[in-house]
């Protein structure tokens, strides 16, 4: 090992130590490397597990589930969840094109979630004024979190699956300051329901 | 003649009654629709107030301000606004007005507080930056000077050692 090799070694060690000394400033100047940003949207059954979801429902009964949103967007977010009810064959969101359902919302939640934080709410729902006329079953009222919403939605008897099928679904929206309004987050969760009269 | 007078009185009474009935009906209708319009306006006002407050708090958070208290207020305001919209959809305009009003009340002043916290955090960030810059510079200078001195010492000792190893020329005997 000659003197030039020692010099190179010294330069490397001194440069490394200098880099350690300026690391606080480098941390301020360089932007943080971002991980994937997304919002998690989920629905859990009455036992707070991903099972036991209501399926066979009947008029006059109340059902419970849990709805949750987890924020991984890199900052606090302002969310809105719109609750909608459909007969399951039309007006569902088009996720391929990022378009929400054209149905008017019945109920809504508005909340703020910090980065990495979770919002969760217990949800109760039921149906009233359910009538059957031939092979068509109509729902007249949806009860959501104790509030009755008049609706007039019908489903024809599905002979393949043996039932009158409806879907209660929840759309996730988030506020976009650049858009100056809410944008559909391209996510929705729903409960397929086989409706029966009591 | 008495019969004619009697008929005229009854027909007048009938016209007056119909007139008042129509007047009341139109009055109620206009009051009802005015209330709905007012509700739409106050809900829209509450939405705008909440949006503006959210943007201000979000910006303050981005510069590192402690806005946890403001998030709690916004969350409550969001619940009120959602409640107002639900009440409006079921036609309970009075309750919708009430909850929209609560939302506006809850977010009033939030923007100002967020801006204040934001400017405080920005000032603190600037101070922190210059303190970091100062100590980093001091660190670099210390590392550089110490490294250079160590190198000088090392180099001298290295050369001395090399010189000691050098074979001495001894005058040969003939």
């Amino acid at each position: 090992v000659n003197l030039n090799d020692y010099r190179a070694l010294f330069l490397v060690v001194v440069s490394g130590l200098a880099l350690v000394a300026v690391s606080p400033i480098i941390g301020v100047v360089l932007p943080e490397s971002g991980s994937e940003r997304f919002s998690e949207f989920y629905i859990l059954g009455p036992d707070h597990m991903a099972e036991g979801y209501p399926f066979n429902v009947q008029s006059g009964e109340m059902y419970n589930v849990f709805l949750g949103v987890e924020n991984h967007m890199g900052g606090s977010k302002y969310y809105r969840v719109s609750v909608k009810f459909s007969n399951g064959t039309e007006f569902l969101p088009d996720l391929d094109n990022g378009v929400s359902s054209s149905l008017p919302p019945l109920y809504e939640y508005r909340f703020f979630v910090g980065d990495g934080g979770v919002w969760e709410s217990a949800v109760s729902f039921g149906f009233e004024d359910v009538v059957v006329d031939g092979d068509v079953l109509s729902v007249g009222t949806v009860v959501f979190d104790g509030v009755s919403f008049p609706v007039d939605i019908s489903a024809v008897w599905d002979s393949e699956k043996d039932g009158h099928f409806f879907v209660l679904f929840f759309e996730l929206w988030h506020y976009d300051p650049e858009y100056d309004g809410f944008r559909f987050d391209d996510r929705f969760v729903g409960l397929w329901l086989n409706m029966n009269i009591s | 003649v008495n019969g004619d007078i009697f008929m005229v009185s009854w027909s007048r009474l009938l016209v007056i009654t119909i007139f008042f009935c129509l007047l009341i009906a139109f009055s109620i209708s206009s009051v009802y629709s005015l209330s709905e319009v007012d509700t739409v306006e106050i809900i829209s006002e509450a939405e705008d107030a909440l949006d503006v407050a959210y943007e201000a708090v979000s910006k303050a958070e981005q510069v590192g301000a402690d806005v946890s208290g403001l998030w709690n207020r916004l969350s409550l305001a969001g619940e009120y606004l959602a409640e107002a919209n639900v009440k409006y959809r079921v036609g309970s305009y009075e309750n919708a007005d009430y909850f929209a009003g609560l939302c506006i009340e809850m977010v009033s002043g939030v923007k100002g507080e967020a801006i204040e916290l934001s400017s405080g955090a920005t000032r603190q960030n600037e101070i922190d930056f210059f303190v970091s810059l100062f100590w980093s510079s001091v660190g670099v200078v210390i590392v550089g000077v110490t490294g250079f001195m160590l190198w000088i010492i090392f180099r001298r000792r290295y050369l001395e050692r090399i010189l000691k190893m050098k074979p001495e020329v001894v005058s040969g005997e003939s």
Side-chain angles (χ1 to χ4, degrees):
Chain A
V1 181
N2 60 26
L3 193 61
N4 285 337
D5 293 335
Y6 280 120
R7 183 188 290 156
L9 186 67
F10 248 84
L11 279 174
V12 168
V13 171
V14 169
S15 303
L17 289 171
L19 212 58
V20 170
V22 296
S23 60
I25 289 297
I26 292 172
V28 172
V29 174
L30 289 181
E32 287 178 33
S33 60
S35 52
E36 193 189 353
R37 293 178 174 184
F38 64 98
S39 302
E40 197 179 327
F41 191 29
Y42 60 85
I43 190 165
L44 298 173
D47 298 324
H48 211 262
M49 307 278 279
E51 60 186 20
Y53 296 105
F55 176 64
N56 288 306
V57 294
Q58 59 182 23
S59 173
E61 294 284 322
M62 291 304 290
Y63 303 91
N64 300 302
V65 289
F66 290 90
L67 197 63
V69 174
E70 203 166 324
N71 176 9
H72 299 285
M73 297 287 279
S76 296
K77 286 285 160 190
Y78 176 17
Y79 290 103
R80 186 180 76 196
V81 171
S82 296
V83 182
K84 298 180 178 181
F85 184 63
S86 155
N87 61 12
T89 56
E90 50 193 4
F91 305 121
L92 288 175
D94 178 6
L95 296 187
D96 292 335
N97 296 309
V99 179
S100 66
S101 165
S102 59
L103 284 169
L106 300 175
Y107 197 90
E108 68 173 44
Y109 296 96
R110 284 171 188 254
F111 49 90
F112 299 83
V113 187
D115 186 34
V118 178
W119 170 87
E120 205 171 272
S121 178
V123 165
S124 70
F125 64 91
F127 305 94
E128 290 173 359
D129 306 323
V130 177
V131 290
V132 178
D133 184 11
D135 62 348
V136 176
L137 184 143
S138 302
V139 177
T141 304
V142 175
V143 182
F144 196 91
D145 275 3
V147 184
S148 296
F149 297 91
V151 294
D152 183 18
I153 296 176
S154 306
V156 180
W157 174 260
D158 186 333
S159 54
E160 280 183 24
K161 295 173 187 166
D162 285 345
H164 292 100
F165 293 99
F166 293 85
V167 61
L168 181 69
F169 62 100
F170 308 86
E171 288 175 347
L172 183 65
W173 297 66
H174 72 265
Y175 184 81
D176 182 352
E178 285 175 18
Y179 178 66
D180 202 19
F182 279 93
R183 276 186 188 280
F184 179 47
D185 208 62
D186 214 12
R187 275 159 221 275
F188 83 102
V189 291
L191 291 167
W192 284 89
L193 304 166
N194 180 16
M195 192 75 65
N196 300 286
I197 53 170
S198 54
Chain B
V1 176
N2 281 344
D4 287 346
I5 291 168
F6 180 76
M7 283 291 287
V8 168
S9 310
W10 271 107
S11 61
R12 264 190 194 166
L13 189 65
L14 189 66
V15 167
I16 289 167
T17 307
I18 289 168
F19 173 76
F20 276 108
C21 283
L22 285 172
L23 190 69
I24 289 166
F26 278 114
S27 303
I28 289 170
S29 165
S30 64
V31 166
Y32 175 79
S33 55
L34 187 68
S35 172
E36 186 179 350
V37 168
D38 286 349
T39 303
V40 169
E41 272 180 20
I42 194 169
I43 287 176
S44 173
E45 195 184 322
E47 279 185 354
D48 290 346
L50 189 52
D51 293 351
V52 166
Y54 164 68
E55 287 182 28
V57 175
S58 189
K59 277 179 190 163
E61 187 188 55
Q62 280 166 16
V63 295
D66 178 13
V67 286
S68 50
L70 297 182
W71 282 128
N72 292 337
R73 281 169 68 182
L74 289 189
S75 292
L76 204 53
E79 284 177 29
Y80 288 144
L81 182 56
E83 195 68 31
N85 276 317
V86 169
K87 297 294 180 198
Y88 171 73
R89 281 181 204 124
V90 295
S92 178
Y93 302 123
E94 205 171 307
N95 282 324
D97 281 358
Y98 173 72
F99 281 108
L102 283 181
C103 173
I104 292 168
E105 201 177 304
M106 188 55 66
V107 297
S108 78
V110 166
K111 187 184 174 186
E113 285 180 44
I115 290 169
E116 205 173 301
L117 288 170
S118 179
S119 57
T122 306
R123 264 198 310 276
Q124 190 59 46
N125 287 345
E126 284 169 3
I127 292 167
D128 291 347
F129 175 77
F130 284 113
V131 166
S132 295
L133 187 66
F134 172 76
W135 285 114
S136 290
S137 308
V138 168
V140 168
V141 169
I142 288 171
V143 166
V145 169
T146 312
F148 181 71
M149 284 168 69
L150 285 173
W151 169 247
I152 296 293
I153 293 165
F154 174 81
R155 187 168 165 269
R156 190 187 300 157
R157 286 188 181 173
Y158 179 84
L159 290 174
E160 281 172 5
R161 205 174 68 198
I162 293 293
L163 286 172
K164 277 178 190 169
M165 286 167 65
K166 223 173 182 180
E168 289 178 15
V169 178
V170 181
S171 57
E173 291 178 3
S174 59

